[in-house]
Amino acid sequence: MFLKKTVFLLVFLIASVAAQAQINIFLGGNIQGNYSWIRGEEPTREPGFGAGVSFIYWEYEYWFLKAGIDYVYKTSSIMDYPDNFGVEPEDADDKIRTSYMEQTVGIPLTAYFRPWEQGPNSMLITGTLNTLIVTSLKASSEEYGEIVLSGESIETRIKTNVGIGVGYQRQLDKHTYLNIIPSYNIDLRGDPAFNSITLTAELIFGIY
């Protein structure tokens, strides 16, 4: 009888500790809408989209870290030389309106800061360093049609992108959160190099 009581008490204590243990590993998913333009001559601003999955380490109350994989589609047009179409410009003013459609797979590393909290609502400030791999780059113009650039045809296959954001976090239950984050993102280098305003909706939930 004493042994049964001891085992029961031990199981109860272990279950109680596990139930009260802090969850600090989260998984998540996000969807994105972006409004992007190329840094160039007479750029157009065009809508795009994206989605991704996240792995989050949240040890401390007021900040946490995220790594993930994102797919992003961006498009914009600029006045550009037609050399991508195999045409050598004859003079400095020989530019045409060229549209670019870029698809990338990114590996973002993001730091989240929570400077203010009231009940289930919190403010978020984010900073992101994102390594982008260009999987497809399409160029089109009225004069020369459409081409798909790949491999060595893409001047910058791997790009670095940085972003800052200020957003909102809502706690849905004990270990589930919804993050809504507008952010401003720029390619540090690239051909083409995009700037974007992005709105991200992200759901995260604790697993351990």
Side-chain angles (χ1 to χ4, degrees):
M1 180 64 71
F2 177 77
L3 182 59
K4 286 185 178 181
K5 289 182 178 181
T6 302
V7 171
F8 177 79
L9 180 60
L10 184 60
V11 171
F12 176 78
L13 289 174
I14 292 173
S16 298
V17 170
Q20 296 177 19
Q22 179 180 351
I23 297 292
N24 55 23
I25 302 298
F26 288 73
L27 293 180
N30 70 75
I31 56 174
Q32 307 165 24
N34 67 68
Y35 192 55
S36 302
W37 62 98
I38 295 171
R39 294 199 301 274
E41 187 175 334
E42 301 180 23
T44 61
R45 289 162 171 78
E46 306 287 348
F49 58 91
V53 294
S54 308
F55 174 85
I56 293 163
Y57 181 72
W58 191 348
E59 177 70 22
Y60 303 100
E61 181 177 0
Y62 294 107
W63 65 275
F64 55 94
L65 300 173
K66 180 185 88 169
I69 298 176
D70 287 349
Y71 163 81
V72 176
Y73 171 90
K74 299 175 186 175
T75 182
S76 175
S77 69
I78 56 172
M79 296 300 295
D80 201 2
Y81 292 112
D83 51 321
N84 281 328
F85 301 92
V87 177
E88 292 294 330
E90 295 180 359
D91 57 60
D93 295 325
D94 191 14
K95 293 184 177 181
I96 60 173
R97 172 65 61 180
T98 304
S99 297
Y100 291 92
M101 290 159 282
E102 180 186 79
Q103 299 181 71
T104 61
V105 173
I107 306 172
L109 300 175
T110 304
Y112 291 72
F113 301 93
R114 302 169 74 242
W116 176 85
E117 180 181 359
Q118 183 67 46
N121 306 302
S122 300
M123 178 183 180
L124 289 179
I125 298 175
T126 66
T128 300
L129 177 64
N130 197 352
T131 300
L132 301 176
I133 302 170
V134 180
T135 60
S136 176
L137 180 62
K138 188 180 296 184
S140 61
S141 71
E142 291 185 1
E143 295 83 354
Y144 301 107
E146 181 179 280
I147 62 170
V148 177
L149 304 175
S150 60
E152 295 181 357
S153 300
I154 302 175
E155 186 171 321
T156 311
R157 288 292 306 277
I158 299 178
K159 305 197 293 185
T160 301
N161 178 282
V162 295
I164 56 173
V166 178
Y168 166 76
Q169 182 180 75
R170 173 77 178 186
Q171 184 172 7
L172 303 179
D173 61 31
K174 187 175 182 181
H175 300 303
T176 305
Y177 296 82
L178 175 66
N179 303 328
I180 305 292
I181 307 163
S183 61
Y184 178 64
N185 307 272
I186 62 172
D187 292 343
L188 296 183
R189 62 190 185 94
D191 184 22
F194 280 88
N195 293 359
S196 299
I197 296 173
T198 302
L199 179 63
T200 301
E202 180 177 51
L203 185 68
I204 65 174
F205 53 93
I207 60 170
Y208 178 75

